[in-house]
Amino acid sequence: MKERPILFSEEMVRAILDGRKTVTRRAIKPIMRSADLQFDLQQEADGSWNPYHTFDESRFDRSGTEHPIKCPYGQPGDRLWVRETWGVISHTWDERGEMADWVPDRPATPIRELRFGRGYYSGHAIYAADGPAEWAGDDDGGGEPRSAWKPSIHMPRGASRILLEITAVRVERLQAGEGETAFESRYVAEGIHRIHHGDGDYYFHAFKDEPGPGNWCDPFDAWRELWVSINGADSWNANPWVWVVEFKQVKP
């Protein structure tokens, strides 16, 4: 079993914590520097697809060897620790203006001498997905408040609160599920909101969870809205081959 980091946006972190998101799709990219920018796919006997590097549009390198593209997120049984936008609160100030321990009033992970950059952090890691937070302007508690957040790409393993276990990996086109009914749609598991409108029907939206204008009748449209918000319209229109990584939450 291997562990690897994976980035998720604040919206997708909330979807994972709510149990709405159990799959992620990521565009396939060649890994070998000596290979072409494009790749080839081979359909196996069981109907599944596997991607291969190409070299001058050939599946074989100069030595006649094939090089399959392995899923960079792992295989079933491997684990993914989630990187999300985060911050650290190490202390606060009491009514007399003296430094005091911060008592968490929001989800937080205790940390002690967590190495980050050129130093170490102790206190509690907090997460932007749980709501806004500000930090005092300087270590003495003075100055204008400033954002407490650090980019998700810089989150160390010790600050991560979400651990996922991969249950399945496959390859398909981004829009492979177009035409599926709302009941069977594979995209509901991407974390889009399923909204009951009170008339017996359900509608869908990438970000909103309440009835209103702009909701979609088809999960596919909500999924398109979500993908475009992250990867852009050009990526959607290209309908790329993607890794489909299914997962479940496990205790860190």
Side-chain angles (χ1 to χ4, degrees), residues 90-93 99 134-146:
S90 56
H91 55 269
T92 187
W93 291 267
M99 187 180 296
E134 290 183 332
W135 187 240
D138 56 45
D139 290 339
D140 294 326
E144 292 296 322
R146 53 187 168 86

Side-chain angles (χ1 to χ4, degrees), residues 154-177:
H154 295 153
M155 172 181 273
R157 177 68 179 90
S160 178
R161 60 171 169 170
I162 302 175
L163 186 61
L164 309 173
E165 182 177 308
I166 297 175
T167 58
V169 176
R170 67 179 185 275
V171 171
E172 66 183 26
R173 285 285 190 182
L174 176 64
Q175 302 177 29

